[in-house]
Amino acid sequence: MARASKRFKDAQTKRERGGFVPLPFAVIRSQSFSGLSAHAAKLLFDLLAQYRGDNNGDLCMAWKMMQERGWRSRDTLEKARRELLDSGWVVLSRQGGRHQASLYAVT
């Protein structure tokens, strides 16, 4: 028994700290998910990377943030954003404006 608990503690030290987003097979195998373009799917995962368990509705797709995640084209980001909104994967929770980013929630 002691050997198993030591192995578990060793595994904890090797793990990267941070969150976890479970994605059920039912979601991954759905027609709606498989119908997403590659850019829209990547944007969805980039949004989920911001999710901490209590901040749905406070997820941001601002250009500066997405550049850090590897996005290189504003037009591609906008098309992916529009696709996620139109397909119902995300909803706008706060309309941005001058000096304030729009915020989104994953549905």
Side-chain angles (χ1 to χ4, degrees):
M1 193 71 167
R3 186 175 175 197
S5 69
K6 181 181 178 341
R7 199 172 16 186
F8 177 71
K9 286 183 181 180
D10 290 342
Q12 281 182 323
T13 60
K14 293 177 186 175
R15 253 185 250 131
E16 183 178 324
R17 299 217 185 271
F20 173 77
V21 178
L23 206 55
F25 285 138
V27 172
I28 296 170
R29 293 177 180 153
S30 71
Q31 290 287 355
S32 179
F33 185 80
S34 63
L36 289 177
S37 69
H39 290 116
K42 181 188 182 326
L43 182 56
L44 180 62
F45 285 120
D46 285 343
L47 283 177
L48 289 173
Q50 297 174 32
Y51 183 66
R52 292 186 312 264
D54 63 348
N55 66 330
N56 198 16
D58 196 23
L59 307 175
C60 184
M61 295 186 217
W63 173 243
K64 291 255 185 197
M65 287 182 71
M66 293 297 111
Q67 266 186 310
E68 294 171 8
R69 300 281 308 159
W71 289 85
R72 295 184 307 226
S73 166
R74 286 179 188 251
D75 186 50
T76 303
L77 178 63
E78 176 56 28
K79 287 178 183 175
R81 184 191 72 83
R82 175 66 18 217
E83 184 178 347
L84 289 177
L85 284 167
D86 291 345
S87 60
W89 280 93
V90 297
V91 293
L92 183 67
S93 57
R94 182 184 80 188
Q95 177 62 54
R98 193 173 187 141
H99 306 293
Q100 191 175 36
S102 294
L103 298 178
Y104 299 88
V106 176
T107 59

